[in-house]
Amino acid sequence: MVGNLLTRNNPFLSRPLMDADYSALTGDKAVEHFIHESLSENTRKAYRSDLAHFTEWGGLLPANADMVARYLAHHAEALAPSSLARRVATLSKVHEANAWPNPCRSEIVRATMRGIKRVKGTAQDQARPLLREDLFIILDALGDDPRAARDRALLLIGWAGGFRSSELVGLDLTDVEEVREGLVLHLRRSKTDQTGKGRKVGIPVGRTRHCPVAALSVWQDALSKDEGPIFRPVDRHGNVQSDRLRSDAASTVLRKCLAKAGIDPDGYSGHSLRAGFATSAIKAGVPTYKVRAQTGHASDLMLSRYVRDAGMFDGNAAGALL
């Protein structure tokens, strides 16, 4: 059984989650297809990576509670509590999918995780927000070659739309609708919208020298087609490629642009665009419901960390005393 899981029938390492199990039960290719599509490719990759990490450590499937607890304790120093919690969720999923007793529900596993969280804490490292002032400094340092045109459009659209990196690089040219006020970007799918309900994001014409609508128009002029991905690689000769940028490219572009502008890129990532927009908008007095309409956050609770950061120095008690 274990050998099969690690090779042919392993739903995480070689096949999508639960495909082998359900197709065997139903014999229906249509069911197998839709189960395959029930998870995003990124989720399937994460599951495969987590399970591979467990088995490379020496874990066996099905696992018992003592084995999972020892695995967690062994990696408590090297991995963040959030990473360990994800691995527990993966192990739980594979046991449920195969109708095995689930060791992750046992008290020993839960107590081990509670202990790790108490010892290490649960605060997560957060990307530094790219505030409006720093965004303008970066943009002013860019040139006018094709790569600079792409980077300017990517940074401005990502920032103005409050997009996640995956949402930003996932945009296609057919997702752009021109309107009198600017652009409407049709976001077909996102991290929190796995069923493809979609939403529209308005990008208004800018009032400053750095207009996201104008920047995207310049970049579109450099593209030779009217369809396909908006944001694409540019080689060292300035030739625009036809494939899509990877989701981590937003981080790479931002960090390079920060360094070029003389700003230390440490702590910044692709999420800095989204965080920077939310923080800057709240600092400017934009109501949270308007910020959420742009970013797609489900509630003010999800925006709370940006609100705290934005208002850290507003009416600060120490400011009245020192």
Side-chain angles (χ1 to χ4, degrees), residues 113-173:
M113 276 303 305
R114 287 197 300 269
I116 292 172
K117 289 177 180 179
R118 282 179 61 87
V119 170
K120 298 192 66 177
T122 56
Q124 297 183 4
D125 292 333
Q126 296 180 357
R128 293 182 62 181
L130 181 68
L131 300 180
R132 177 179 181 269
E133 296 78 8
D134 291 331
L135 172 66
F136 282 15
I137 292 172
I138 293 172
L139 295 172
D140 285 338
L142 292 177
D144 55 5
D145 57 280
R147 180 172 293 178
R150 182 206 62 190
D151 293 350
R152 181 176 287 105
L154 184 144
L155 294 176
L156 277 168
I157 293 296
W159 198 91
F163 290 124
R164 298 178 178 88
S165 296
S166 58
E167 296 169 347
L168 181 59
V169 301
L171 289 170
D172 289 333
L173 289 166

Side-chain angles (χ1 to χ4, degrees), residues 102-242:
N102 191 342
C104 301
R105 294 182 177 180
S106 67
E107 181 57 25
I108 185 175
V109 172
R110 292 178 175 179
T112 302
M113 276 303 305
R114 287 197 300 269
I116 292 172
K117 289 177 180 179
R118 282 179 61 87
V119 170
K120 298 192 66 177
T122 56
Q124 297 183 4
D125 292 333
Q126 296 180 357
R128 293 182 62 181
L130 181 68
L131 300 180
R132 177 179 181 269
E133 296 78 8
D134 291 331
L135 172 66
F136 282 15
I137 292 172
I138 293 172
L139 295 172
D140 285 338
L142 292 177
D144 55 5
D145 57 280
R147 180 172 293 178
R150 182 206 62 190
D151 293 350
R152 181 176 287 105
L154 184 144
L155 294 176
L156 277 168
I157 293 296
W159 198 91
F163 290 124
R164 298 178 178 88
S165 296
S166 58
E167 296 169 347
L168 181 59
V169 301
L171 289 170
D172 289 333
L173 289 166
T174 54
D175 295 331
V176 180
E177 178 186 355
E178 295 184 7
V179 295
R180 181 171 56 84
E181 299 89 345
L183 301 174
V184 175
L185 300 183
H186 295 260
L187 196 62
R188 306 297 179 184
R189 193 181 298 272
S190 70
K191 178 182 177 182
T192 56
D193 178 24
Q194 294 296 314
T195 59
K197 180 180 178 181
R199 65 185 182 92
K200 299 178 182 180
V201 180
I203 306 294
V205 174
R207 298 178 298 172
T208 72
R209 64 187 181 278
H210 296 302
C211 171
V213 176
L216 184 59
S217 177
V218 171
W219 170 239
Q220 284 180 288
D221 288 343
L223 302 178
S224 58
K225 297 181 179 180
D226 295 328
E227 58 184 22
I230 295 177
F231 297 111
R232 312 176 185 195
V234 179
D235 67 22
R236 59 192 181 91
H237 301 295
N239 299 314
V240 180
Q241 308 300 302
S242 60

Side-chain angles (χ1 to χ4, degrees), residues 295-315:
T295 63
H297 282 100
S299 67
D300 282 353
L301 179 63
M302 302 300 292
L303 275 178
S304 60
R305 65 181 181 274
Y306 304 126
V307 174
R308 289 196 299 270
D309 291 346
M312 190 179 300
F313 292 98
D314 293 340

